[in-house]
Amino acid sequence: MNGIVEECPYITSVKGSRRHIFLYGDRVVNNGWYVYSDFGIETVDTKCNYGGYREWLICPICGKKRLTLYYVNDGFKCRVCGKLLYDKQRESKKGRISYAIIIDATKLKYRKKILTRPYYNGVLTKKAKKLIADYQRVIAITKLF
C-alpha cells in the first residue's frame, strides 16, 4: 500500500463543505468555479432523485465516478487505484475492538447521564432496559480481554 488517506492531498466535488483542500498552496476552487480541468480531471453530472444534479469526478486510472480523488505519485487517483488505506484499517482487529469498547463505554456513560426517567409506574422504561442490556454487553466483551 502506498499511504494513508488522511495524509494525502485531495480534490473533491462535494460543494459547500470544508473538504476542499489546498494542493501545494494553490486552492482548488477559483472564484467559485472548480478548476478540475487544470488537473486533467473529467467530471460528469447525474440527476438526483430529490432534484438537482450531483457532480462526480472521473478517476483517470479506472474511469469510475468518485466524489474524491487523491494526489498519489504525481497524479490524481481514486482511493482504490492509489492503493490508499484509512488510518483505522492499519490497526489490528483486536485494536479496533478495544477502541470500539472505549467508545461504547463513553456513549453509555452519556446515555446514562441524560436518562431522566428510568422508571414509569414502577416499571423500567424501554430506554432504561436497552441501556442496561448495552452495559451488560460491554462488560461481557471487556471480560474477554
Side-chain angles (χ1 to χ4, degrees), residues 27-35 38:
R27 189 160 171 81
V28 178
V29 180
N30 185 13
N31 295 331
W33 293 96
Y34 299 87
V35 289
D38 292 351

Side-chain angles (χ1 to χ4, degrees), residues 66-110:
R66 305 291 187 189
L67 285 175
T68 305
L69 295 177
Y70 301 92
Y71 193 75
V72 181
N73 297 338
D74 300 328
F76 282 101
K77 301 173 186 172
C78 66
R79 187 175 64 85
V80 176
C81 294
K83 298 179 182 171
L84 298 173
L85 290 174
Y86 289 106
D87 193 32
K88 200 173 220 180
Q89 290 175 305
R90 294 187 325 163
E91 293 180 22
S92 66
K93 189 172 183 177
K94 196 172 188 178
R96 282 186 265 169
I97 290 171
S98 60
Y99 177 77
I101 291 170
I102 293 168
I103 295 299
D104 285 350
T106 307
K107 286 180 184 177
L108 287 173
K109 191 182 286 187
Y110 175 74

Side-chain angles (χ1 to χ4, degrees), residues 26-74:
D26 297 329
R27 189 160 171 81
V28 178
V29 180
N30 185 13
N31 295 331
W33 293 96
Y34 299 87
V35 289
Y36 304 127
S37 59
D38 292 351
F39 299 106
I41 299 170
E42 296 178 32
T43 60
V44 66
D45 293 334
T46 57
K47 191 173 182 179
C48 298
N49 291 333
Y50 53 85
Y53 291 91
R54 170 174 281 156
E55 186 177 36
W56 297 90
L57 304 174
I58 304 297
C59 176
I61 307 299
C62 63
K64 293 185 179 179
K65 294 185 287 188
R66 305 291 187 189
L67 285 175
T68 305
L69 295 177
Y70 301 92
Y71 193 75
V72 181
N73 297 338
D74 300 328

